[in-house]
């Protein structure tokens, strides 16, 4: 493949990514005017990674974390956003997303397609320190937005504190104690304020 062909494939991928701006998530913006889209969510996580890096392992590869959070939801262009508390919709989520990953990342030149697919799988498996960091951000961001909106999404969907705790077990177990404590305090306060069912 010559440089011109390579650039054309990269541009095709970049244009394909424009679709992520139209994928609406479940979480409301902090001002409650509408729900956020996947592009906004990914950008927010990248900023969080930069700001919260100091709480994680000193030799963590921050650029890798930022890449992960920026590409982790690209698969939703094909697979759609799956509400985390929808048991039925989550049954085939991984298969839908794997199929999407194969199509979308393979638009890129082979070396980049391989790199980004591997990063996506690493994020999904959540085992490396970078993937753990990225997943913690992905779980924390909707919680702080849900709290800021007076539990609007939680109340609409009758979500309990137990459901949120179960979904965030790994965050609470593997995350830095400062973030785990912050999260637990927020969730306890959400119950007190009636945002979450006990």
């Amino acid at each position: 493949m010559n440089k011109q062909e390579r650039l054309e494939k990269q541009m095709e991928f970049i244009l394909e990514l424009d679709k992520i701006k139209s994928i609406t998530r479940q979480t409301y913006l902090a001002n409650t005017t509408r729900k956020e889209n996947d592009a906004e969510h990914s950008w927010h996580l990248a900023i969080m990674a930069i700001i919260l890096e100091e709480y994680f392992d000193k030799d963590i590869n921050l650029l890798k974390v930022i890449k992960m959070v920026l590409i982790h939801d690209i698969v939703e262009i094909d697979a759609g956003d799956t509400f985390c508390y929808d048991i039925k919709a989550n049954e085939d989520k991984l298969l839908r997303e794997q199929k999407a990953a194969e199509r979308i990342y393979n638009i890129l030149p082979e070396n980049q397609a391989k790199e980004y697919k591997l990063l996506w799988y690493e994020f999904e498996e959540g085992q490396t320190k970078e993937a753990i960091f990225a997943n913690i951000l992905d779980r924390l961001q909707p919680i702080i937005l849900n709290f800021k909106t007076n539990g609007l999404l939680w109340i609409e969907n009758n979500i309990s504190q137990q459901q949120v705790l179960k979904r965030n077990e790994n965050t609470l177990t593997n995350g830095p104690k400062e973030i785990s404590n912050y999260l637990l305090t927020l969730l306890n306060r959400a119950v007190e304020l009636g945002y979450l069912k006990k």
Side-chain angles (χ1 to χ4, degrees), residues 21-110:
K21 299 172 189 173
S22 301
I23 306 298
T24 304
R25 293 173 46 81
Q26 301 300 315
T27 310
Y28 286 94
L29 298 179
N31 66 12
T32 72
T33 56
R34 63 175 173 83
K35 293 182 176 182
E36 70 176 348
N37 66 47
D38 271 352
E40 293 165 330
H41 170 69
S42 299
W43 165 83
H44 212 175
L45 298 188
I47 294 293
M48 289 172 69
I50 295 165
I51 293 168
L52 299 177
E53 176 191 16
E54 67 188 82
Y55 298 100
F56 292 83
D57 195 321
K58 295 296 178 228
D59 65 346
I60 205 155
N61 184 336
L62 182 61
L63 178 58
K64 186 176 183 183
V65 174
I66 291 170
K67 284 182 178 182
M68 273 187 198
V69 298
L70 288 174
I71 68 158
H72 79 290
D73 277 342
I74 288 172
V75 294
E76 294 186 3
I77 289 170
D78 289 357
D81 178 61
T82 306
F83 186 38
C84 61
Y85 299 109
D86 184 337
I87 295 167
K88 181 72 176 159
N90 276 279
E91 287 175 2
D92 68 343
K93 177 183 181 233
L94 182 58
L95 288 175
R96 286 185 284 117
E97 291 189 347
Q98 286 173 331
K99 183 178 176 184
E102 288 304 315
R103 183 192 76 77
I104 298 166
Y105 294 125
N106 282 329
I107 294 170
L108 283 164
E110 188 176 345

Side-chain angles (χ1 to χ4, degrees), residues 130-188:
E130 286 83 10
I132 289 168
F133 184 5
N135 273 279
I136 287 170
L137 299 174
D138 192 41
R139 299 298 168 88
L140 179 61
Q141 189 255 9
I143 290 174
I144 61 177
L145 285 175
N146 284 326
F147 187 85
K148 179 67 177 171
T149 61
N150 300 330
L152 181 58
L153 178 73
W154 289 331
I155 292 167
E156 285 178 353
N157 292 278
N158 205 26
I159 303 298
S160 70
Q161 182 186 38
Q162 191 56 41
Q163 286 174 283
V164 180
L165 287 170
K166 182 167 177 45
R167 171 150 173 79
N168 291 280
E169 282 174 332
N170 288 338
T171 300
L172 294 167
T173 305
N174 298 323
K177 66 179 184 316
E178 298 90 348
I179 290 178
S180 298
N181 291 340
Y182 178 83
L183 188 60
L184 284 171
T185 301
L186 214 58
L187 294 177
N188 287 332

